[in-house]
């Protein structure tokens, strides 16, 4: 019996290592490629616009495929879909690393994004299925610590690889690492229930993609086109028309791609909204900080990557603690604390970004706040749903998270450019502080409501 328990513990550890490594690769791939874009541009003699598609297509596939990844996991089993996603990600990474034309590279980046959508969505689903509900926060905390580590190492490792081995190494590195992840997951991922009666609803998914793609193109080109230019307005109008058609069609479908009825749960909807507010904050701050730092201190790419380490390193180190506190005290007070830290961080950035000690303190608070929200928001969303709907719930939550980050970044970039490096940055930080304040109040309010409900139930029993 003791030996059986020890074997089970070892199996869970191997499972967590394999899942965390797969998710780590997805986050590493997201940030590491940014440092390779200038080298890719030089190698293919292309302009910035052409090489930027390597990131745009990746984000498009990521947003469009998350919900479908969840549906595939429900129908064919999470284990089979995870292994398929690993295979797709490995082949796409190999293809991108060996590409001899920019168009071919961009095609493999699209496939990489689809593979990453599986790794993000299905990995979390498998963890919450394999681990008791009382330990969900801790398990998700470790998962997002791995994600934070991937985000932290990306810029630094990318700079080292590109300067030492060339840009192809950034993609080829994924191949042995995804094989290592598979070796840990193999024989440890539990078999999941297959629900063959669930339809894939491809027409609905294509409608969703038809609405999201122009929206994501708008976020990539709104700065170049101008917010009120004809191409910008037409692209945005097309997106809204197709998304409206998607919403109307899905409401009449028995098995929709996105079950909008889930959002009728106030607790699930609140958790998703908090996840969106977090995405807007860290996408905007994390992408605009390098521009502000380079203006203040004239740093090169490698130095900029090191300067941002306090954010992502603290996020990686504190995520497990946030998960444990979420398990012990509930996710909502942890998230309220996280948004308080983010609000303080944004105010420090806005008032003292030229002072090194204040800048470092703001980065540390941002990393800690990020950790206190990312994992607990997923745990809170899942706690509001029946276990049979966890997979789709994760897909919806992550889709909204990524869309919120992309849209928020587009808007804040416009504000930053209109206001200039100093005043534009401060205005964006004040806006982010306001968003964090809203998140803090919402998390506190929902947490108080749930606490009162539990107290009433205890009195009744």
């Amino acid at each position: 019996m003791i030996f059986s328990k020890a074997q089970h513990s070892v199996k869970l550890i191997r499972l967590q290592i394999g899942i965390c490594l797969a998710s780590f690769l997805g986050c590493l791939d997201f940030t590491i490629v940014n440092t390779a874009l200038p080298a890719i541009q030089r190698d293919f003699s292309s302009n910035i616009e052409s090489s930027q598609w390597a990131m745009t297509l990746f984000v498009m596939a990521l947003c469009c495929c998350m919900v479908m990844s969840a549906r595939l996991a429900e129908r064919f089993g999470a284990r089979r879909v995870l292994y398929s996603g690993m295979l797709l990600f490995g082949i796409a990474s190999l293809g991108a690393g060996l590409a001899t034309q920019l168009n071919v590279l961009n095609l493999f980046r699209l496939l990489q994004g689809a593979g990453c959508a599986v790794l993000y969505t299905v990995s979390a689903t498998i963890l919450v299925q394999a681990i008791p509900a009382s330990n969900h926060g801790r398990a998700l905390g470790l998962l997002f610590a791995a994600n934070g580590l991937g985000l932290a190492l990306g810029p630094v490792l990318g700079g080292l690889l590109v300067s030492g081995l060339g840009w192809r190494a950034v993609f080829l590195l994924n191949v042995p690492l995804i094989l290592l992840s598979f070796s840990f997951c193999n024989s440890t991922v539990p078999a999941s229930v297959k629900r063959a009666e669930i339809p894939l609803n491809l027409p609905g998914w294509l409608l969703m993609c038809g609405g999201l793609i122009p929206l994501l193109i708008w976020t990539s080109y709104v700065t170049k086109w101008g917010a009120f230019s004809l191409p910008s307005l037409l692209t945005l109008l097309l997106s809204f028309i197709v998304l409206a058609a998607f919403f109307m069609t899905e409401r009449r479908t028995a098995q929709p791609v996105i079950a909008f009825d889930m959002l009728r749960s106030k607790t699930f909807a609140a958790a998703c909204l908090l996840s969106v507010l977090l995405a807007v904050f860290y996408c905007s701050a994390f992408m605009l900080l390098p521009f502000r730092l380079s203006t203040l201190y004239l740093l090169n790419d490698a130095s900029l990557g090191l300067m941002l380490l306090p954010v992502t390193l603290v996020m990686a180190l504190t995520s497990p603690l946030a998960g444990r506190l979420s398990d012990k005290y509930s996710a909502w007070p942890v998230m309220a604390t996280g948004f308080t830290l983010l609000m303080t961080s944004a105010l420090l950035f806005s008032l003292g970004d030229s002072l090194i000690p204040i800048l470092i303190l703001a980065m540390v608070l941002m990393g800690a706040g990020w950790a206190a929200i990312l994992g607990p928001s997923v745990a809170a969303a899942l706690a509001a749903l029946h276990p049979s709907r966890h997979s789709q719930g994760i897909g919806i939550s992550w889709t909204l998270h990524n869309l919120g980050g992309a849209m928020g970044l587009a808007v804040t970039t416009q504000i930053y450019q209109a206001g200039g490096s100093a005043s534009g940055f401060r205005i964006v930080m004040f806006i982010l502080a306001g968003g964090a304040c809203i998140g803090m109040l919402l998390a506190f309010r929902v947490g108080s409501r749930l606490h009162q409900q539990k107290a009433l139930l205890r009195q009744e029993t």
Side-chain angles (χ1 to χ4, degrees):
M1 185 70 176
I2 296 175
F3 184 69
S4 177
K5 286 183 178 180
Q7 280 185 321
H8 180 68
S9 298
V10 170
K11 189 174 181 179
L12 280 180
I13 290 171
R14 282 173 53 84
L15 170 65
Q16 283 196 292
I17 292 173
I19 292 293
C20 287
L21 182 55
S23 195
F24 163 85
L25 278 177
C27 289
L28 179 74
D29 199 64
F30 190 81
T31 56
I32 200 173
V33 174
N34 283 329
T35 59
L37 288 180
I40 292 172
Q41 180 186 341
R42 290 192 300 269
D43 197 15
F44 289 113
S45 301
S46 64
N47 54 32
I48 295 175
E49 200 172 291
S50 299
S51 56
Q52 188 63 34
W53 276 101
M55 286 303 300
T56 303
L57 289 170
F58 180 89
V59 174
M60 280 184 188
L62 194 62
C63 288
C64 290
C65 293
M66 279 191 161
V67 173
M68 183 53 73
S69 297
R71 178 59 59 87
L72 290 170
E74 285 180 328
R75 178 163 179 171
F76 299 107
R79 180 170 63 182
R80 180 179 296 182
V81 174
L82 175 67
Y83 291 166
S84 299
M86 287 180 169
L87 180 62
L88 177 62
F89 180 76
I91 291 173
S93 297
L94 181 64
L98 299 178
T100 56
Q101 295 179 10
L102 184 58
N103 290 337
V104 175
L105 171 63
N106 288 339
L107 172 62
F108 281 116
R109 280 293 286 165
L110 183 73
L111 296 176
Q112 263 192 324
C116 275
V118 174
L119 299 185
Y120 286 146
T121 308
V122 182
S123 60
T125 301
I126 288 173
L127 272 187
V128 298
Q129 288 177 349
I131 292 173
S134 58
N135 291 326
H136 279 178
R138 182 170 179 235
L140 290 170
L142 289 171
L143 178 65
F144 294 125
N147 289 353
L149 190 60
L151 291 170
L153 291 178
V156 179
L157 184 59
L160 293 174
L161 286 174
V162 172
S163 60
L165 300 173
W167 65 265
R168 296 181 186 277
V170 165
F171 299 106
L172 296 176
L173 175 70
N174 292 330
V175 178
L177 290 180
I178 199 66
L179 288 173
L180 181 63
S181 173
F182 175 76
S183 69
F184 277 105
C185 289
N186 190 31
S187 75
T188 62
V189 176
S192 48
V193 177
K194 301 174 187 178
R195 299 171 63 188
E197 73 280 3
I198 294 180
L200 294 180
N201 191 2
L202 289 177
W205 179 69
L206 290 174
L207 261 181
M208 184 191 77
C209 293
L212 291 182
I213 288 172
L215 184 62
L216 292 167
I217 290 174
W218 177 83
T219 61
S220 299
Y221 286 92
V222 63
T223 302
K224 178 185 176 183
W225 291 339
F228 299 102
S229 66
L230 185 61
S232 180
L233 293 175
L234 287 177
T235 305
L236 207 53
L237 179 62
L238 173 63
S239 173
F240 287 158
I241 290 173
V242 179
L243 286 177
F246 167 69
F247 178 75
M248 292 170 60
T249 303
E250 291 294 282
R251 290 186 64 185
R252 298 193 297 267
T253 304
Q255 291 288 345
V257 174
I258 294 181
F260 290 104
D261 65 299
M262 286 188 184
L263 296 173
R264 293 175 187 166
S265 165
K266 293 181 180 179
T267 306
F268 178 74
C272 289
L273 178 56
L274 293 180
S275 180
V276 169
L277 288 173
L278 170 65
V280 171
F281 190 102
Y282 78 74
C283 285
S284 301
F286 202 61
M287 295 301 287
L288 294 179
L289 266 175
F291 293 101
R292 181 61 180 154
L293 291 174
S294 61
T295 301
L296 287 171
Y297 304 110
L298 303 176
L299 301 172
N300 57 30
D301 291 340
S303 300
L304 277 175
L306 290 172
M307 279 289 286
L308 293 172
L309 267 179
V311 178
T312 47
L313 197 57
V314 169
M315 185 266 188
L317 292 174
T318 55
S319 284
L321 174 62
R324 287 195 293 270
L325 292 174
S326 176
D327 285 333
K328 187 174 182 180
Y329 299 109
S330 154
W332 298 95
V334 177
M335 289 191 288
T337 303
F339 277 110
T340 304
L341 295 175
L342 290 186
M343 180 176 64
T344 308
S345 170
L347 292 175
L348 289 175
F349 278 133
S350 67
L351 299 174
D353 62 340
S354 60
L355 300 173
I356 291 289
I358 293 180
L359 188 64
I360 292 175
L361 176 60
M363 288 183 175
V364 169
L365 292 177
M366 178 181 165
W370 189 349
I373 302 164
L374 187 59
S377 67
V378 177
L382 294 179
L385 299 174
H386 188 273
S388 64
R389 310 193 84 179
H390 279 176
S391 182
Q392 194 171 17
I394 290 174
I396 293 172
S397 176
W398 276 116
T399 300
L400 293 174
H401 181 90
N402 287 314
L403 276 176
M407 295 289 293
L409 179 58
V411 173
T412 53
T413 300
Q414 286 281 321
I415 296 170
Y416 174 81
Q417 290 184 329
S421 176
S423 59
F425 183 77
R426 288 190 179 92
I427 292 171
V428 169
M429 289 301 117
F430 280 128
I431 292 171
L432 295 181
C437 182
I438 292 172
M440 175 190 68
L441 295 174
L442 178 61
F444 180 78
R445 180 179 177 182
V446 175
S448 298
R449 174 172 59 82
L450 293 176
H451 181 73
Q452 291 172 359
Q453 289 176 354
K454 287 182 180 179
L456 288 173
L457 285 174
R458 282 195 296 266
Q459 289 177 1
E460 292 175 359
T461 55

